[in-house]
């Protein structure tokens, strides 16, 4: 449960390259979820105080320190991104907390230009940045081919409506849990 | 019969970098026989662009890469100007350069503190868990972290004010920009500029104290492990001074002789690309010198395009403090000799001089009387045909070349991106570092692996454009195999 605040800001963040085929699935899902959601998802009573939860939607093609900078000021963040594990059918959602991921790239190459998100968050927190305590990751299984296109592959396109519904359900469910 | 080979693989499996991999092959005696730096190609970008209006390219191409979208935005905008044969107003040119200076300030700051700094502040052999920006903060002080974040925030603010968005700018169009800046914004940018100059001077002082004040590091920089004598490339203005946004491309030989300068439209007369069977990526080289393989020297067409090469290819900086640092740089590294430095770790120092130059340019441009003029766009009237735009991306000269039909619809695209220029010298640097560090009987250590990485980290390479990395992937792995290919030992970057 997130701390009792008068206003809680939740960020629904689509990650990926919007012109790299299935890598854009995070963007496309978030754009659709935004269309289907109202700006203020709901209001709830907590300990007799009224708490309003605001949803914001963004899509970025960044990682590491840039990503961390864009998470400042939010209480709760959902990152929706493409994954490629070869372990699940295309369109399968894999849900984890960021803390479930091992911070492997410590000191090395998440990128030649950047740092891991975990390292960036630690950097941000060390200087007092107002960063979310919890970050949820929704990975969507894809078969990324690294070929430029602004369209999804046929298998992913077919599962797209279901993926959007599942993501909306997950976010709503988590919101209810947070505020219960 | 050739001796059987052993193989070491350095495998940075990351979507941001497009699954790059270094393979080091050892011979029977255990010495390095050869190395290969492989980067898979992202396919189909040219085809993706064909059929789109050329004015979209500045928006589209900055999606190629999450690291330097501003560079693609600028090169694309300049190429589109050239396609329409339109000379943009002075205010538009200054605004674009101001945006670009803000971007440079952010990018160079990030590289030094997040990537280069840990190698020097913590040391190449420091435990991997400490060799990162958090280690730097713990060692130098918490305020460093705050300054780095503030520097990035300031740079982003400039990009957003002029470019309309803080990550992927969208305001440059054929003929100039879609918007200018207000007096209030100008004042804010000017204030940022003064802060940036102080920060850059602070960073140079830090480099002076920690790196130049440490004999071990100076020996590392000046030693043979990271030395290559290749041609240098960089953009210069009409007085042969460094410029990131506009000018001609200067080429200087390993001995310091300037062999020529080319305008953007002439790039095909100067640059050719070599194909090797073991990689999809091509190796650009100087056409007038010719390809002689992965070798140093004046007869080899291999060149580098980095902060260091930009200084080598110029006669100095236009801003006073950066010029003073430029003079100190050459007086320290090559006293009394032609102003050309080949020590690849000196790229880090050159990058900080460019950081200072970018900061000073922010102040200069923000205080230019024309910068708030409403004359920031000229309507193109010529029939579009073909055009080339070049800027200096932080990690190398960036060339965009577009062909269109008479309606301005793209029919063909050619890009030479910043790091691609450096593919040959990076490959050479990796090989040399590996040859120097790995010998028969050597136990490959974590520190040794990092020192091989340092060979290409200096170039600030960017080969991939997938733009982000979902946490949890294994970034680096070294596999040492015996002559039959069986793994003897695996080194990975797990904590």
């Amino acid at each position: 449960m997130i701390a009792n605040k008068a206003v809680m800001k939740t960020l629904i963040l689509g990650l990926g390259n919007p012109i790299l085929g299935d890598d854009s699935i995070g963007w496309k899902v978030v754009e659709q979820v935004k269309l289907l959601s109202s700006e203020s998802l709901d209001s709830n009573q907590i300990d007799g105080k009224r708490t309003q939860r605001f949803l914001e939607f963004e899509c970025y093609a960044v990682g590491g320190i840039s990503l961390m900078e864009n998470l400042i000021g939010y209480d709760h963040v959902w990152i929706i991104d493409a994954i490629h594990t070869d372990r699940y059918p295309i369109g399968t959602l894999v849900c984890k907390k960021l803390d479930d991921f091992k911070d492997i790239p410590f000191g090395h190459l998440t990128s030649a230009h950047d740092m891991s998100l975990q390292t960036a968050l630690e950097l941000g927190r060390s200087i007092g940045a107002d960063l979310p305590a919890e970050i949820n990751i929704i990975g969507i299984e894809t078969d990324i081919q690294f070929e430029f296109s602004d369209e999804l592959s046929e298998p992913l396109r077919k599962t797209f409506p279901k993926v959007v519904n599942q993501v909306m359900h997950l976010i709503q469910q988590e919101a209810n849990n947070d505020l219960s | 019969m050739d001796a059987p080979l052993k193989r070491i693989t350095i495998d940075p499996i990351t979507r941001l970098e497009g699954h790059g991999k270094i393979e080091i092959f050892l011979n029977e005696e255990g010495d390095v026989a050869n190395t290969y730096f492989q980067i898979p190609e992202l396919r189909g970008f040219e085809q993706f662009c064909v059929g789109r209006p050329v004015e979209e390219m500045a928006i589209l191409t900055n999606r190629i890469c999450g690291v330097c979208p501003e560079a693609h935005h600028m090169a694309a905008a300049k190429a589109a100007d050239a396609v329409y044969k339109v000379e943009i107003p002075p205010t538009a040119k200054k605004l674009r350069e101001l945006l670009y200076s803000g971007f440079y300030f952010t990018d160079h700051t990030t590289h030094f503190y997040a990537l280069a700094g840990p190698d020097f502040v913590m040391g190449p052999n420091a435990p991997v868990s400490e060799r990162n920006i958090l280690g730097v903060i713990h060692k130098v002080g918490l305020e460093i972290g705050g300054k780095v974040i503030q520097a990035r925030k300031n740079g982003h603010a400039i990009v957003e004010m002029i470019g309309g968005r803080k990550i992927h700018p969208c305001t440059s169009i054929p003929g100039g920009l879609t918007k200018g800046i207000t007096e209030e914004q100008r004042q804010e940018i000017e204030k940022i500029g003064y802060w940036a100059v102080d920060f850059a001077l602070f960073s140079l002082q830090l480099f002076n104290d920690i790196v130049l004040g440490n004999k071990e590091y100076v020996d590392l920089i000046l030693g043979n492990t990271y030395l290559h004598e290749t041609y240098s490339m960089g953009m210069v203005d009409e007085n042969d001074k460094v410029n990131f946004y506009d000018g001609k491309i200067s080429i200087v030989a390993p001995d310091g002789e300037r062999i020529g300068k080319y305008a953007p439209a002439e790039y095909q007369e100067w640059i050719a690309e070599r194909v090797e069977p073991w990689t999809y990526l091509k190796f650009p080289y100087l056409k007038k010198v010719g390809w002689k393989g992965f070798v140093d020297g004046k007869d080899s067409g291999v060149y580098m395009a980095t902060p260091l090469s930009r200084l080598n290819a110029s006669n100095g900086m236009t801003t006073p403090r950066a010029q003073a640092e430029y003079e100190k740089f050459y007086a320290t590294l090559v006293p009394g000799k032609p102003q050309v430095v080949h020590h690849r770790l000196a790229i880090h120092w050159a990058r900080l001089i460019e950081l200072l130059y970018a900061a000073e340019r922010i102040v200069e441009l923000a205080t230019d009387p024309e910068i708030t003029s409403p004359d920031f766009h000229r309507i193109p009237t010529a029939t579009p045909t073909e055009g080339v735009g070049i800027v200096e991306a932080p990690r190398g000269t960036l060339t965009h070349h577009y062909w269109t039909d008479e309606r301005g619809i793209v029919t063909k695209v050619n890009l030479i991106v910043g790091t691609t220029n450096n593919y040959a010298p990076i490959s050479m640097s990796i090989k040399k570092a590996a040859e120097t560090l790995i010998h028969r009987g050597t136990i490959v250590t974590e520190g040794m692996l990092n020192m091989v990485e340092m060979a290409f980290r200096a170039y600030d390479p960017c080969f991939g454009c997938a733009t982000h990395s979902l946490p949890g992937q294994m970034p680096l792995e070294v596999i040492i195999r015996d002559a039959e290919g069986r793994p003897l030992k695996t080194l990975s970057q797990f904590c």
Side-chain angles (χ1 to χ4, degrees):
Chain A
M1 178 177 162
I2 292 175
N4 183 8
K5 295 171 73 171
V7 175
M8 292 208 302
K9 285 174 67 182
T10 295
L11 175 65
I12 313 294
L13 175 58
L15 270 189
N17 186 329
I19 60 171
L20 205 62
D22 285 356
D23 194 51
S24 68
I25 182 67
W27 280 58
K28 289 184 168 65
V29 166
V30 168
E31 285 166 355
Q32 190 64 21
V33 170
K34 183 180 180 181
L35 279 176
L36 299 172
S37 303
S38 60
E39 188 175 284
S40 174
L41 186 64
D42 50 31
S43 299
N44 293 272
Q45 293 288 122
I46 299 179
D47 298 333
K49 297 176 184 173
R50 189 170 183 79
T51 297
Q52 197 165 28
R53 182 186 185 90
F54 283 96
L55 280 185
E56 292 185 16
F57 300 86
E58 297 285 356
C59 292
Y60 296 129
V62 298
I65 192 167
S66 295
L67 183 53
M68 178 275 288
E69 288 165 343
N70 284 288
L71 305 185
I72 292 173
Y74 291 99
D75 300 290
H76 194 171
V77 171
W78 292 81
I79 293 176
I80 294 127
D81 196 2
I83 57 170
H84 183 182
T85 68
D86 280 332
R87 292 205 297 264
Y88 311 104
I90 300 297
T92 303
L93 268 55
V94 179
C95 305
K96 286 179 180 284
K97 305 285 184 190
L98 182 65
D99 294 343
D100 295 337
F101 288 98
K102 214 169 186 177
D103 186 10
I104 295 160
F106 229 79
H108 276 279
L109 299 172
T110 295
S111 150
H113 313 276
D114 214 329
M115 59 189 76
S116 72
L117 178 57
Q118 291 97 323
T119 303
L121 288 167
E122 197 171 339
L123 167 65
R125 289 182 179 122
S126 73
I127 61 165
D130 178 19
L131 286 158
E134 190 172 277
I135 296 172
N136 288 348
I137 309 283
I138 301 178
I140 302 167
E141 182 71 18
T142 63
D143 182 20
I144 295 173
Q145 295 298 316
F146 294 109
E147 186 153 353
F148 285 100
S149 169
D150 49 10
E151 293 182 357
L152 298 174
S153 64
E154 182 65 23
L156 199 54
R157 199 158 53 236
K158 280 182 180 170
T159 64
F160 185 73
K162 186 178 166 189
V163 168
V164 170
N165 282 337
Q166 287 177 323
V167 168
M168 287 200 69
H169 176 72
L170 279 168
I171 293 169
Q172 183 65 61
Q173 191 177 42
E174 185 78 12
N176 292 340
N177 290 341
D178 285 346
L179 298 172
S180 63
Chain B
M1 180 181 166
D2 293 338
L5 300 178
K6 296 177 181 179
R7 185 168 66 187
I8 298 173
T9 302
I10 301 178
D11 196 0
I13 302 168
T14 148
R15 290 165 54 193
L16 184 61
E17 291 307 317
H19 304 265
K21 183 167 67 175
I22 298 169
E23 292 208 89
I24 303 170
F25 286 86
L26 308 181
N27 61 22
E28 178 113 289
E29 287 74 38
D31 293 323
V32 173
N34 214 337
T35 60
Y36 296 99
F37 184 26
Q38 295 174 301
I39 305 293
E41 188 181 46
L42 299 179
R43 297 177 301 273
F45 186 70
E46 179 175 335
Q47 198 54 39
F48 183 70
C49 296
V50 168
R52 298 173 187 270
V54 72
E55 55 267 31
E56 278 188 14
M57 294 299 284
I59 306 297
L60 198 60
T61 56
N62 77 13
R63 298 291 187 192
I64 296 176
C65 177
V67 174
C68 46
E70 292 85 353
H72 283 292
H73 185 67
M74 287 298 161
K78 290 181 71 181
D81 294 338
V83 163
Y84 278 100
K85 304 170 192 65
V86 58
E87 184 73 25
I88 69 172
T91 295
K93 187 175 175 184
K94 288 171 184 175
L95 282 169
R96 284 187 187 174
E97 189 181 349
L98 181 52
L99 181 159
Y100 207 47
S101 298
F103 159 61
Y104 250 83
F105 181 72
T106 303
D107 197 274
H108 276 5
T109 294
T110 306
H111 188 276
F112 179 69
Y113 284 97
L115 298 157
D119 286 331
F120 292 109
V121 176
M122 308 307 296
N125 293 303
V128 67
S129 59
E130 297 173 9
R131 204 172 54 241
N132 54 48
I133 193 169
L134 300 173
V136 173
I137 289 171
H138 290 144
K139 189 163 180 178
V140 182
L142 192 59
E143 70 276 12
I144 288 277
K147 283 186 175 183
V148 170
I149 297 296
Q150 187 62 44
R152 289 177 51 83
K153 188 177 177 184
N154 285 343
H156 288 152
I158 295 173
V159 171
E160 187 170 15
M161 277 186 266
I162 303 169
R165 294 193 296 224
K166 62 184 172 184
I167 295 177
H168 294 99
C170 58
T171 53
S172 290
I173 56 173
L177 292 114
T178 57
K179 65 186 277 292
I181 57 171
T182 64
E183 173 57 22
E184 290 72 29
Q185 288 174 319
R186 187 205 66 75
Q187 288 177 19
E188 189 179 341
I189 294 171
E190 181 184 355
K191 193 175 163 188
I192 287 172
Y194 289 121
W195 187 95
V197 170
D198 286 343
F199 177 79
L201 289 169
F202 164 82
S203 302
L204 278 157
Q205 187 61 49
L206 193 69
F207 187 85
N208 188 72
D209 295 345
I210 291 177
V211 181
L212 301 181
N214 184 323
K215 184 179 180 306
E216 188 182 343
Y217 290 158
V218 172
D219 289 346
L220 193 65
I221 292 171
L222 296 179
N224 188 50
T225 306
Y226 302 104
L227 177 67
H228 281 290
E229 297 194 355
T230 65
Y231 282 81
S232 291
M233 171 185 283
M235 182 176 275
V236 294
D237 66 13
E238 62 277 9
N239 297 314
D240 294 331
K241 304 289 187 185
V242 167
N243 195 287
F244 300 145
Y245 173 74
D246 203 24
K248 289 189 173 182
I249 307 304
S250 168
I251 308 292
V252 165
D255 60 6
E257 179 196 0
R258 177 173 287 117
I259 65 164
K261 293 189 287 186
Y262 65 84
E266 300 165 336
Y267 83 99
Q268 289 175 311
E269 297 170 29
W270 284 79
I271 306 299
E273 292 181 297
R274 169 81 180 180
V275 175
E276 289 286 324
W278 49 271
T279 177
Y280 290 111
L281 214 62
K282 294 172 185 169
F283 294 89
Y285 64 94
L286 296 172
K287 190 185 269 187
K288 296 186 179 190
V289 182
W291 177 262
K292 306 292 184 334
F294 297 92
V295 291
D296 290 11
K298 201 167 183 177
D299 293 333
S300 169
V302 172
Y303 65 90
M304 70 164 161
T306 66
L308 175 60
S309 74
R310 286 192 283 264
L311 300 196
N312 285 343
S314 76
N315 286 346
M317 322 298 283
T318 59
T319 59
R321 290 185 175 96
Q323 174 62 24
E325 292 293 334
Y326 173 96
E327 291 169 11
K328 178 183 172 185
F329 177 81
Y330 287 104
T332 303
L333 295 177
V334 284
K337 295 180 182 173
Q339 293 198 337
V340 57
V341 167
H342 295 296
H343 306 288
R344 299 302 151 111
L345 293 186
I347 295 173
H348 297 303
W349 189 358
R351 189 172 286 115
L352 290 179
I353 296 170
E354 287 195 337
L355 179 75
L356 179 56
Y357 168 71
E360 288 185 291
R361 281 300 283 160
I362 292 170
V363 174
E364 285 185 349
L365 290 161
T367 52
D368 188 298
E370 280 188 313
I371 203 72
T372 52
S373 163
D375 183 22
F376 47 74
H377 185 244
R378 190 152 295 152
I379 296 172
T381 55
T383 301
T385 53
E386 175 187 353
V388 180
I390 297 184
V391 295
E392 283 295 331
R395 47 203 58 83
T397 310
L398 173 61
T399 304
H400 282 217
H401 187 179
Y402 307 146
W403 292 259
T404 72
D405 65 16
E406 72 283 359
R407 300 168 301 157
I409 302 299
V410 173
T411 56
K412 187 178 173 186
V413 170
N414 186 43
L415 308 182
I416 301 177
V417 301
T419 300
T420 305
N421 295 290
N422 297 315
Y423 195 18
I426 290 174
S427 299
M428 290 158 59
S429 290
I430 288 168
K431 184 179 182 189
K432 190 165 188 179
E435 283 175 338
T436 308
L437 296 163
I438 300 172
H439 299 287
R440 61 194 70 185
T442 302
I443 297 171
V444 180
T445 63
E446 169 64 34
M448 199 178 289
L449 167 63
N450 187 54
M451 289 181 76
V452 174
E453 281 185 42
M454 285 170 67
F456 70 87
R457 190 148 54 229
Y459 293 86
D460 189 15
C462 176
F463 288 99
C465 303
T467 72
H468 68 282
S469 176
L470 189 65
Q473 295 181 330
M474 183 165 55
L476 193 65
E477 187 175 62
V478 180
I479 303 172
I480 304 171
R481 299 178 188 274
D482 64 16
E484 283 72 46
R486 292 173 302 208
L488 296 173
K489 186 177 180 182
T490 298
L491 296 177
S492 62
Q493 307 305 327
F494 291 100
C495 297

